[in-house]
Amino acid sequence: MTAHDDTAAALLRSHRRRRRIRRWVAIGTLPLTLAALLVVGKILSMYAFAHQSITSYVVDDFAGSESAARGQEFLNWFEPYKAPYNIGTALAGAEELPAARAELERALDLATGLEVCAVRINLALVVERMGDAARADGDGAAAAELYGEALTLTVETPEECRSEEAQQQSPDPQRDMSDTLDGAEDRLKQKQQEQEQEQQPQEPEEQEQEEQPQPSDDKLQDLQDKLNQGTQERDQQQGDDPGGSGTDKPW
């Protein structure tokens, strides 16, 4: 065998050795490659589910919003609070208030830092709406208790939630967090006070007034017309003022 043949054989062995090394490197890095692809796919799917949940909520498709939000639950390592937050918000839009409260409370346990701001606001709004429902059903004691719970949630919201940084992370930039908290606090205090007054026993003078002769039908109709007019004016004012006595929509 000539020197040329020896060189060719050595070169061939070197190429074979390099191919074996590349093959083993490829096999060794395959799990990392698959993991990277899984992470990228998960991130993209999370954005897709979140976008679908938000867009469905905006058009009042609460069932679609809830369904998309539940797609965020699987292996959500990055923002674990987001799935129950979006689910709870969608359930609140559908007036499934107890279930919405349970999901938002789960989200609050998972949220950290400024993430708690929107969760606490929505949770307080849901509890307030539960109080409104109890009041409409004539359960004054439950309504007063729920208003108190909602007020506690609002008052105990961290001061950092009023910062510009928190506002930048708000799910609805058009609604100011600080104004929302202030409006909710004033509204809940008023509702709680009204409910407590309704629960107080009547004084003898009030009972005597109830026993007095009732006004005629014509006077009652005049009073009803005035009340209806005042209600319409108040509703118009509340429509212009999100901080009115009505309860805000979760966001």
Side-chain angles (χ1 to χ4, degrees), residues 121 162 164 167 170 172-181 251:
I121 289 175
R162 298 176 180 272
E164 184 64 29
Q167 182 62 32
S170 170
D172 187 352
Q174 296 182 354
R175 294 170 66 175
D176 186 87
M177 280 195 175
S178 183
D179 291 344
T180 298
L181 289 168
W251 46 341

Side-chain angles (χ1 to χ4, degrees), residues 144-193:
E145 181 178 354
L146 288 164
Y147 289 148
E149 292 176 8
L151 182 59
T152 299
L153 283 166
T154 302
V155 172
E156 293 183 353
T157 298
E159 189 63 26
E160 290 79 9
C161 293
R162 298 176 180 272
S163 66
E164 184 64 29
E165 184 180 359
Q167 182 62 32
Q168 291 174 356
Q169 297 184 24
S170 170
D172 187 352
Q174 296 182 354
R175 294 170 66 175
D176 186 87
M177 280 195 175
S178 183
D179 291 344
T180 298
L181 289 168
D182 289 339
E185 183 177 348
D186 293 341
R187 187 174 62 246
L188 285 164
K189 287 179 178 179
Q190 179 180 352
K191 287 182 178 182
Q192 193 177 37
Q193 183 178 6

Side-chain angles (χ1 to χ4, degrees), residues 188-240:
L188 285 164
K189 287 179 178 179
Q190 179 180 352
K191 287 182 178 182
Q192 193 177 37
Q193 183 178 6
E194 291 173 353
Q195 199 57 46
E196 289 174 353
Q197 290 175 350
E198 291 178 10
Q199 294 296 111
Q200 293 177 354
Q202 291 183 330
E203 298 294 334
E205 293 182 0
E206 294 177 348
Q207 296 177 357
E208 291 176 1
Q209 290 177 359
E210 288 184 354
E211 295 173 359
Q212 292 178 359
Q214 299 297 318
S216 65
D217 291 342
D218 291 340
K219 290 184 178 180
L220 286 174
Q221 186 61 46
D222 290 340
L223 289 171
Q224 185 63 44
D225 292 341
K226 292 179 180 179
L227 287 172
N228 290 338
Q229 182 179 357
T231 300
Q232 292 175 358
E233 292 175 354
R234 185 175 66 253
D235 291 342
Q236 291 175 356
Q237 292 174 354
Q238 291 177 4
D240 296 334

